C-alpha cells in the first residue's frame, strides 16, 4: 500500500476492513471462498451498514484479494452498492436573498453568491483567484475541482 502511495488513513482503513472480514469468517481470509464473500456482503447489508462504508470495504477487499493474495476470482465477486442519489435542495429567491443579506462582510457575500450561482463546493470557492475570472466572456475558471478537472463556468 505504501508503494502505491496510499495515505496512512487509507492503509489503516484497509487493514481494519480486512480484519472485519477475517472476524466474520472466523478463520484466515486466505481460505475464503466466493460464497464467504457473498455471505459477508449479505451480513453487512442486513446489519444496516451505510452504503459508503460498504463500498469502502469492497475497495479494501479488492485490493487485498488482487494484490496481496493474488485471488482476482474473489475480487470479482465483490459487489459495489448503488448509492441513492438525492436531488439537491433548491432555494427560493427569497431564501437566497435572506442568506446573502445575513452576511456582514462583502467578501462573504461575494463568496456565497459565486458558490450558489456556479454550484461550487466550499473548497472550489476558497481556491478561486482573481485571475480565474474572465469578465469579458463572463466565465469563471475552476481548477482542481472534484475529479481534478479544469472547468469553465458561465457567470
Amino acid at each position: 500500500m505504501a508503494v502505491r502511495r496510499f495515505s496512512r488513513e487509507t492503509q489503516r482503513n484497509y487493514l481494519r476492513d480486512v480484519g472485519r472480514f477475517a472476524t466474520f469468517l472466523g478463520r484466515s481470509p486466505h481460505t475464503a471462498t466466493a460464497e464467504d464473500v457473498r455471505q459477508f456482503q449479505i451480513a453487512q447489508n442486513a446489519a444496516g451498514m451505510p452504503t459508503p462504508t460498504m463500498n469502502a470495504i469492497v475497495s479494501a477487499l479488492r485490493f487485498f484479494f488482487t494484490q496481496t493474495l493474488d485471488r482476482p476470482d474473489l475480487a470479482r465477486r465483490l459487489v459495489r452498492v448503488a448509492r441513492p442519489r438525492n436531488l439537491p435542495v433548491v432555494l427560493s429567491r427569497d431564501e437566497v436573498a435572506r442568506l446573502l443579506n445575513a452576511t456582514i462582510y462583502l467578501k462573504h457575500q461575494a463568496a456565497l453568491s459565486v458558490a450558489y450561482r456556479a454550484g461550487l463546493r466550499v473548497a472550489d470557492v476558497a481556491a478561486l483567484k482573481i485571475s480565474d475570472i474572465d469578465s469579458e466572456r463572463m466565465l469563471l475558471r475552476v481548477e482542481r475541482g472534484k475529479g481534478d478537472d479544469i472547468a469553465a463556468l458561465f457567470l
Side-chain angles (χ1 to χ4, degrees), residues 70-137:
D70 194 24
R71 297 273 316 266
D73 57 307
L74 290 182
R76 284 191 297 271
R77 297 292 184 155
L78 292 161
V79 178
R80 285 200 169 283
V81 180
R83 188 174 187 178
R85 300 283 179 170
N86 297 331
L87 291 175
V89 174
V90 178
L91 300 177
S92 70
R93 286 182 186 259
D94 290 339
E95 290 170 323
V96 172
R98 279 197 326 229
L99 176 69
L100 296 177
N101 290 332
T103 60
I104 297 171
Y105 302 104
L106 182 60
K107 175 182 170 181
H108 297 161
Q109 189 174 23
L112 283 172
S113 296
V114 169
Y116 191 74
R117 172 84 170 137
L120 298 178
R121 298 175 306 136
V122 171
D124 298 335
V125 174
L128 284 176
K129 301 178 291 282
I130 300 271
S131 59
D132 293 333
I133 301 170
D134 183 347
S135 300
E136 288 180 16
R137 295 173 37 204

Side-chain angles (χ1 to χ4, degrees), residues 14-37 40 60-66 68-71 73-75 78:
Y14 276 26
L15 290 172
R16 180 200 60 221
D17 294 339
V18 171
R20 189 178 282 171
F21 179 64
T23 300
F24 171 81
L25 283 179
R27 61 183 193 276
S28 176
H30 85 278
T31 64
T33 65
E35 182 60 20
D36 292 330
V37 170
F40 176 66
L61 291 177
R62 279 188 179 160
F63 178 84
F64 178 70
F65 288 137
T66 57
T68 307
L69 295 183
D70 194 24
R71 297 273 316 266
D73 57 307
L74 290 182
L78 292 161

